[in-house]
Amino acid sequence: MSQAQWIRWNPILLADADKRKAYAESLRKQLALCRASNPQMQRWTAAAWQIYEAALAHPSAYQGDDNAAMLPAYVPAFQLLDLFALTGGSPAFFPNLRKKRLFHRLRAESGAEPRRILDDVHSRFLSPRKGKKRFARSARKLAKPLETYLGLAQKTLAFQKRRPLRVLVTGLMSAGKSTFLNALLGRKILPMQNLACTSKIHALVNKPYEDGYIYEDDCVLVLDAGERELFADDPQNANDFTSVGLAFHGGLAGERVVLYDSPGVNASTHEAHRDITAQFLAAGGADVILYVMNFTQLMTDDDAAHARFVCQNIKGKNILFVVNKVDEIKTEESLEKTMGNATRFLEGIGFPQPLVCPVSADAAFFEKCVMAGESMDVLDQMKYIVYQKKLASLQLASYYRNHFPAYFGNWRDLPEHDLLQDSGLAFAEHLIKRMG
């Protein structure tokens, strides 16, 4: 799910309809030669082809150089890279190339100059060390769009080879887990209603860069998912697991991270939700645990019960306790008192020196939306101004520097937007990366 689509950067989208149609038909034929035998990869290829087919039929955006010419000499090289994206980087794709079956066909359909360019791209793409010097000599002769396209492919390859940091988010229903996750993601991917709206483990997989697509694998694999797919679990999915691929915005952008959203554990009418979360926690599949707590409902019996379960079943894991909704705290003194009470509560459960982080996820989500250029109505604008004034007075930046000097004593990597600091989210994002 971390595979990025880069069709939007292909200058073929600038060509007329007949050339785009011919390019699509050629891709379809090449794809038939390298289709993976793995059923999962067949699903990916079919879903990815829908994106390519739609983009080539009705191009809506081109993010490269608008003045770039789609020269015939570069077409085979673009096709080579597109085939890699369409097959999801399947290992079956590379043997096809090494056996020269597909590569020979691409070369046979090209003239002398296209063959040279294709050879250069092939060398750098599949054998970067071997072809590095050779490609360096010819890179200046290549079109800028092709160099950009090749860079996207290599960036995706390098990103997928990195070991992902697996982060599980847990807590009681209505603690604000979904809002906190949306704030980390920088977009509304999960419903934020004040009810038990998450009934499965949702794996939110980061991608190396923004490609304009959100993927969801919930019985049906959809690579251009919208709110309808994201906000409703597919009843045909018999498993308790759904995967979503997207590019995170903010402090986790570009990081190889997978966030796991779990069902609330205190929904009395949804005992199955508690079991799903308990099983995932006990399985130990996460590197970092984010335990989200609601400031307005701290230290309840339900919180104590779940915290004990986490303490007894999660050994040797990094745990970060996120106290959400601190925008409702009145003063800086009240903040210190509340965080102290939460710390002592967790120490009493059995957590030695717990990391307790005050956050206003809703305010942080507002700021991420502002950074993305999203419009707000009058009521949202008023709420945003209130958040700015209220959270500035709480001095969360000072709290983090005073209580976590090892993490923030000399930290200068602060975000441009103050509300990401004042809401505590920038510090939480930094802690997540450090703990991994």
Side-chain angles (χ1 to χ4, degrees), residues 86-288:
L86 285 164
T87 55
S90 170
F93 177 69
F94 295 100
N96 267 319
L97 284 174
R98 293 194 178 102
K99 292 174 183 175
K100 302 295 183 181
R101 180 184 179 189
L102 175 60
F103 190 61
H104 176 74
R105 178 166 174 172
L106 283 169
R107 292 183 88 253
E109 295 178 357
S110 308
E113 179 67 6
R115 279 199 297 271
R116 183 192 65 79
I117 295 170
L118 188 60
D119 287 341
D120 288 341
V121 172
H122 177 268
S123 296
R124 181 171 170 181
F125 188 48
L126 291 181
S127 306
R129 292 182 180 178
K130 180 180 178 182
K132 188 174 182 179
K133 291 183 178 179
R134 178 181 178 183
F135 192 87
R137 289 193 297 267
S138 61
R140 295 177 182 176
K141 300 179 182 179
L142 296 178
K144 181 180 177 182
L146 180 56
E147 185 72 6
T148 299
Y149 225 50
L150 185 56
L152 294 172
Q154 292 178 314
K155 187 174 183 178
T156 299
L157 269 175
F159 183 80
Q160 289 179 309
K161 290 178 180 177
R162 290 158 53 188
R163 181 185 178 277
L165 173 65
R166 300 162 301 174
V167 181
L168 173 66
V169 181
T170 187
L172 305 186
M173 180 190 73
S174 302
K177 293 187 292 82
S178 294
T179 304
F180 177 64
L181 277 164
N182 284 334
L184 289 176
L185 302 174
R187 58 179 72 189
K188 189 175 181 180
I189 299 299
L190 301 163
M192 301 188 296
Q193 292 89 343
N194 191 28
L195 46 84
C197 52
T198 301
S199 61
K200 300 177 183 177
I201 299 291
H202 285 73
L204 306 168
V205 184
N206 195 16
K207 296 194 288 190
Y209 50 84
E210 181 59 70
D211 64 352
Y213 295 103
I214 298 175
Y215 315 154
E216 184 185 56
D217 191 0
D218 187 14
C219 183
V220 177
L221 177 62
V222 180
L223 299 189
D224 55 352
E227 285 193 6
R228 183 178 62 84
E229 292 88 1
L230 294 170
F231 286 8
D233 291 329
D234 193 320
Q236 298 181 73
N237 186 359
N239 300 318
D240 300 323
F241 198 87
T242 297
S243 297
V244 177
L246 70 157
F248 297 0
H249 296 166
L252 298 180
E255 299 290 332
R256 188 73 166 92
V257 178
V258 180
L259 300 175
Y260 296 96
D261 182 26
S262 62
V265 295
N266 62 333
S268 59
T269 58
H270 296 82
E271 289 83 359
H273 292 188
R274 295 199 301 269
D275 295 339
I276 292 169
T277 299
Q279 290 171 8
F280 195 87
L281 277 166
D287 303 305
V288 176

